[in-house]
Amino acid sequence: AVGKSRKSISDLMDIRPDMARVVRDGNMIEVAPDRVAIGEEVVVKPGERIPLDGVVCDGDAMLDMRALTGESKPKHVASGDEVLSGAVNTTQVLTIKVARAYAESTATKILELVQKAGSRKAKAERFMTIFARYYTPIVVLGALLLTLIPVTFLGGAFAEWINRSLVFLVISCPCALVISVPLTFFGGIGAASRSGILVKGGNYLDALNHLGAVVFDKTGTLTVGNFNVTAIEAQSPYTKDDVLNAALTAEQMSNHPIARSISACAKSHGMMCNSNDISKNNYTELSGRGVKCTIGDDIIYAGNEKLMREIGISYMPSSQFGTLVYVAKNDQYLGCISICDEIKSDAKDAISDLRKRGIEKCVMLTGDSSRVAQHVAQAIGLDEYHANMLPGDKVSMFESIASSAQNGKKTAFVGDGVNDAPVLARADIGIAMGAMGSDAAMGGIGSDAAIEAADIVFMDDDLAKLPKAIDIACRTKQIVMQNIVFAITVKIAFLALGAFAIIGMWSAVFADVGVMVIAVLNATRMIQLPSQ
């Protein structure tokens, strides 16, 4: 049973590559993955695992991503695409330029997450450990007294009462509980792993059973995160090209989806920005407001209305729908860029499924405008939303929502960005999404900070994994409770019968080993739970 439970996790975790085929001085040599440097090129043949995170520089192929995301659908990659260590190349030879060292690779990080999971025990597991610590000496003392008192004070036959004591002692052995309860949680973690859900400990799996409210980030969580520029407004005497060019200059050092959408739009207009004109020294990301950069004697700002008010720029509020990026140079307002994001196709169904599982409140926190937040909230059926929020505001608002929970209910936060890390760490259950997406692997929106701060990690950005995780948690609890009730009921009944010599040693063996075997077999139903 333990072997099967371990295998259910190791099947997902069997992604550590043993070898990397690296090109050095025109020759192809095989070395350990931890001896490959960033910038070197590795060759991956069909049937082999990708050893390190990187970018395809030659070839195109289909990748089996099941070990990373739990999804069976292959992913096509070609030159310029980012790839993750642990994925299996199924078709053509790929040449990949390494972007991350082995210690920082996706495969290594996943393994570290799983290795730590066993140290975080659920309440029931902790109870059984404490229970056994006190229960065992008590029943040993009870068995001893069961012999000494009748023999010493009542004139009982020693052989008869020592036999009763041994029967009592065998029956009272708590192995059915001590073995089956941790095994069930281990099986639950394994079942979640097969579905692309990494649970960092049994305590977090147990906490999902008490979930009363779920708080969501918007961008990349409830929405796709693929932004497109839909409109550009220019303030006279400036032109739309002036606005777009200034925004491109300001955003070029940012890896945010909004910045990438501006870059894509500028590129489609034939604009290119010289990255040598700007460095980290004259670029500042203003959390929750926008960006500021200095080019020569000019200071360019690109951000939301908060930023415009903060720097004292007189701007014209836009009536366009979507995320609005206001652009200013020095003390002059240039114009506004409207950017729209797409709501995830499964978001509404996921919220509906959460309702069916007893989640009382679904809330969205976003740094976006009220108009955009209202549109998303109404489209997918959220209970409430809070817009124009800085990362610190999200923590405060989450604490307010969590404090209003009734009857000890837990509150979860679901997010994916570096700005979500503080609230993920604060949440009763922090859930990071899209951990193994390309952005996550290369340090983008699905950041290491979010994954590190979270308690549960979804390997992809599928919202349906949240109801699935709750189902696995409920099934785990059901089996744990079945084993506890069954084992304690049988033992109490047999202890009473044994003390009065109604049953003998063979019945005692059944009450100990037999009950343990039945409880373990019941626990293996959790291990065998299908991934889909």
Side-chain angles (χ1 to χ4, degrees):
V2 171
K4 284 186 177 181
S5 185
R6 289 187 183 279
K7 188 175 186 301
S8 67
I9 297 176
S10 64
D11 282 348
L12 178 69
M13 295 302 106
D14 187 21
I15 59 178
R16 188 194 300 272
D18 298 320
M19 172 273 297
R21 192 176 287 103
V22 63
V23 179
R24 290 177 180 167
D25 300 325
N27 298 316
M28 194 183 303
I29 60 173
E30 295 182 2
V31 300
D34 58 356
R35 305 188 75 172
V36 180
I38 295 173
E40 288 193 292
E41 293 183 357
V42 295
V43 175
V44 183
K45 296 181 179 180
E48 295 180 343
R49 291 191 185 275
I50 295 173
L52 297 148
D53 297 346
V55 178
V56 177
C57 52
D58 185 36
D60 66 275
M62 300 299 292
L63 301 184
D64 183 346
M65 303 290 289
R66 280 178 294 182
L68 297 177
T69 66
E71 297 295 331
S72 58
K73 184 179 178 181
K75 177 184 177 182
H76 177 263
V77 294
S79 182
D81 290 336
E82 297 162 350
V83 292
L84 307 174
S85 57
V88 178
N89 179 11
T90 63
T91 53
Q92 306 294 325
V93 176
L94 290 175
T95 302
I96 299 167
K97 186 174 182 180
V98 176
R100 277 192 172 188
Y102 179 71
E104 298 298 320
S105 68
T106 298
T108 303
K109 287 186 176 296
I110 295 175
L111 290 166
E112 288 175 354
L113 289 177
V114 173
Q115 287 165 359
K116 295 176 182 177
S119 64
R120 300 181 177 96
K121 296 185 177 182
K123 187 182 295 184
E125 292 179 279
R126 293 196 303 270
F127 169 75
M128 291 316 308
T129 302
I130 297 171
F131 172 78
R133 184 184 304 159
Y134 294 101
Y135 173 81
T136 301
I138 288 174
V139 295
V140 170
L141 179 61
L144 185 63
L145 294 176
L146 188 59
T147 296
L148 293 178
I149 292 175
V151 171
T152 305
F153 299 104
L154 302 177
F158 178 79
E160 177 186 352
W161 285 100
I162 192 66
N163 183 66
R164 291 192 191 187
S165 295
L166 292 173
V167 169
F168 178 91
L169 196 60
V170 171
I171 294 171
S172 63
C173 180
C175 58
L177 297 174
V178 174
I179 294 173
S180 67
V181 171
L183 179 60
T184 306
F185 278 102
F186 198 40
I189 293 173
S193 296
R194 293 197 303 275
S195 295
I197 303 167
L198 288 183
V199 183
K200 292 186 179 180
N203 54 332
Y204 304 122
L205 194 64
D206 185 45
L208 286 173
N209 288 290
H210 309 286
L211 197 57
V214 180
V215 180
F216 296 90
D217 173 46
K218 180 181 76 70
T219 304
T221 303
L222 296 174
T223 63
V224 176
N226 291 334
F227 290 84
N228 293 303
V229 174
T230 55
I232 302 175
E233 297 176 344
Q235 178 81 10
S236 181
Y238 301 103
T239 66
K240 292 182 179 181
D241 283 351
D242 292 333
V243 177
L244 185 58
N245 189 58
L248 173 63
T249 302
E251 298 278 10
Q252 65 174 308
M253 293 292 288
S254 174
N255 197 36
H256 193 279
I258 289 177
R260 294 202 294 270
S261 69
I262 291 174
S263 296
C265 180
K267 187 175 181 180
S268 69
H269 283 71
M271 296 181 186
M272 297 296 292
C273 197
N274 187 357
S275 58
N276 294 327
D277 292 340
I278 186 171
S279 68
K280 292 181 180 179
N281 295 328
N282 52 20
Y283 168 84
T284 306
E285 195 152 331
L286 306 169
S287 181
R289 291 159 291 167
V291 296
K292 166 190 173 183
C293 76
T294 304
I295 301 292
D297 295 328
D298 295 324
I299 302 176
I300 302 175
Y301 301 91
N304 55 23
E305 294 184 58
K306 279 186 178 179
L307 178 59
M308 294 297 106
R309 291 194 293 267
E310 183 179 294
I311 60 178
I313 296 289
S314 177
Y315 68 100
M316 180 69 67
S318 175
S319 60
Q320 293 289 337
F321 181 77
T323 299
L324 302 177
V325 178
Y326 294 93
V327 183
K329 180 187 287 186
N330 299 323
D331 59 351
Q332 296 296 312
Y333 173 65
L334 274 62
C336 178
I337 299 175
S338 176
I339 301 169
C340 284
D341 191 7
E342 179 186 350
I343 297 173
K344 286 183 179 178
S345 58
D346 60 350
K348 187 173 183 178
D349 289 340
I351 299 300
S352 176
D353 289 342
L354 290 175
R355 306 267 190 221
K356 294 174 184 176
R357 287 158 177 78
I359 304 303
E360 300 160 1
K361 183 185 288 187
C362 294
V363 184
M364 179 178 69
L365 306 181
T366 177
D368 218 329
S369 68
S370 295
R371 289 180 62 206
V372 173
Q374 182 180 29
H375 170 71
V376 173
Q378 290 178 346
I380 63 178
L382 297 175
D383 295 297
E384 59 184 80
Y385 65 89
H386 301 274
N388 299 308
M389 307 204 79
L390 301 175
D393 298 331
K394 287 185 178 181
V395 176
S396 300
M397 182 55 66
F398 180 89
E399 289 179 341
S400 175
I401 295 169
S403 64
S404 64
Q406 301 294 323
N407 303 319
K409 291 285 188 179
K410 304 290 185 182
T411 305
F413 181 84
V414 185
D416 64 342
V418 65
N419 287 341
D420 297 326
V423 67
L424 280 168
R426 163 60 185 85
D428 297 326
I429 310 169
I431 302 172
M433 291 189 62
M436 297 304 117
S438 60
D439 288 331
M442 310 313 290
I445 189 168
S447 67
D448 289 345
I451 296 169
E452 184 67 27
D455 307 313
I456 298 174
V457 179
F458 293 169
M459 308 299 273
D460 58 20
D461 60 357
D462 184 4
L463 276 170
K465 279 187 167 45
L466 183 51
K468 177 71 174 179
I470 294 173
D471 288 344
I472 291 172
C474 289
R475 180 69 179 274
T476 302
K477 183 179 180 180
Q478 288 172 0
I479 292 177
V480 165
M481 294 308 298
Q482 288 169 6
N483 283 343
I484 290 175
V485 171
F486 170 69
I488 290 178
T489 301
V490 171
K491 285 188 178 292
I492 289 175
F494 275 61
L495 281 172
L497 294 172
F500 291 99
I502 298 174
I503 60 172
M505 185 59 76
W506 283 112
S507 298
V509 170
F510 168 77
D512 175 27
V513 180
V515 169
M516 184 271 291
V517 170
I518 293 171
V520 167
L521 289 174
N522 191 39
T524 60
R525 294 194 301 129
M526 191 70 242
I527 299 168
Q528 302 298 335
L529 188 70
S531 61
Q532 300 299 330

